[in-house]
């Protein structure tokens, strides 16, 4: 793991993973989604001699082939992730999450890259049928987002089954920390408390989550990348501890 590519590096987890990989001594090619403002998202302000920022789009197969050329390990995190938006724009979720993952798999195969880690999500399991959720839990596509990630995972695993590619599906559970979208539950509660509100809007207090601090999620990615013998595996990154919305609110308060 010397020359690595991180897609979704302009985002929340990807930017932390980029910094963690740089701290490990890797040369990191970090993909920020192309936009006309030339904005690198959370990569803005990160500078390091080992960092090369590239702008582009995982929906473009030619671009993906160029992106991963010369890399030994690819961490694929780029995705559309908001569940509510997936209800009104499901096509874009299929294009980015399923087709984007196919493009990265094909590019990795064409370039003979040693190792690919594809990022899944605990959302693929839907409402828990048992806890703690493990890798054998059934998949339940409860939103177009979840369905697109189930599709993306299946594409990645098919490249292992059909072409013996060294690909591992990495499945983080709810990740929190600096740079997280303000819409997520923990930043939303913190923002409301910090702005002096006496009544906090959180919705249903009973659902539970398995919260993981972003540095721990990134450590999970790196440990999985360093571990041999995980080709064709799906691996959860989780604490296996349930925390309810009520406990989350009271703890933050
Ligand atoms: N945040 C969580 O709690 C969580 C939990 C489980 C899994 N995940 C997964 O982790 C990954 C990263 O999530 P995040 O929370 O950092 O989200 P994020 O939205 O902050 O980051 C995703 C990044 O992907 C980029 N992207 C989107 N479409 C693209 C395209 N067509 N081409 C290139 N780049 C594109 C965006 O610019 C964005 O910065 C995703 O695959 C997500 O499904 C996140």
């Amino acid at each position: 793991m010397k020359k690595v590519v991180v897609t979704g590096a302009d985002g929340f987890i990807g930017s932390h993973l980029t910094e963690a990989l740089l701290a490990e001594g890797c040369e990191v090619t970090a993909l920020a989604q192309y936009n006309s403002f030339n904005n690198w998202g959370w990569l803005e302000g990160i500078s390091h001699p080992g960092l090369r920022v590239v702008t582009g789009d995982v929906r473009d197969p030619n671009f993906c082939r160029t992106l991963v050329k010369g890399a030994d390990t690819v961490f694929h995190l780029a995705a559309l992730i908001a569940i509510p938006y997936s209800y009104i724009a499901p096509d874009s979720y299929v294009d980015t999450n399923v087709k984007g993952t196919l493009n990265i798999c094909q590019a990795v195969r064409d370039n003979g890259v040693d190792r690919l880690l594809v990022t899944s999500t605990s959302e693929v399991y839907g409402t828990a049928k048992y806890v703690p959720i493990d890798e054998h839990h059934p998949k339940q596509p409860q939103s177009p987002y979840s369905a697109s990630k189930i599709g993306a995972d299946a594409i990645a695993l098919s490249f292992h089954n059909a072409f013996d590619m060294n690909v591992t599906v990495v499945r983080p559970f709810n990740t929190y920390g600096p740079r997280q979208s303000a819409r997520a539950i923990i930043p939303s509660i913190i923002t409301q408390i910090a702005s002096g509100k006496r009544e906090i809007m959180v919705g249903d207090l009973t659902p539970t989550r398995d919260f993981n601090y972003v540095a721990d999620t990134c450590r999970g990615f790196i440990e999985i990348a360093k571990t041999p013998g995980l080709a064709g595996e799906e691996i959860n990154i989780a604490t296996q501890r349930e925390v309810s919305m009520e406990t989350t609110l009271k703890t933050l308060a």
Side-chain angles (χ1 to χ4, degrees), residues 7-15 31-34 41-42 56-60 63 76-82 95-97 100 119-123 145 149 170-176 179-181 183 212 217 221:
T7 73
D10 50 349
F12 163 45
I13 301 176
S15 60
L31 172 63
Q33 185 173 16
Y34 176 82
W42 290 117
D57 200 303
V58 296
R59 290 170 295 184
D60 187 314
F63 168 75
H76 175 46
L77 284 82
L80 294 180
I81 72 151
D95 286 349
T96 302
N97 297 356
T119 312
S120 181
T121 166
S122 52
E123 283 299 321
Y145 167 59
K149 295 297 267 190
V170 177
R171 187 165 294 132
F173 280 49
N174 294 78
T175 299
Y176 69 94
R179 307 176 190 157
Q180 182 176 20
S181 159
R183 292 184 310 265
N212 296 260
T217 300
F221 271 96

Side-chain angles (χ1 to χ4, degrees), residues 176 184-191 193-194 200 202 211 245-253:
Y176 69 94
I185 186 69
I186 291 179
S188 158
I189 294 173
I190 291 174
T191 311
I193 293 174
I200 310 297
V202 280
F211 287 116
M245 291 302 131
E246 185 172 6
T247 306
T248 305
L249 172 62
K250 285 182 175 159
T251 306
L252 291 170

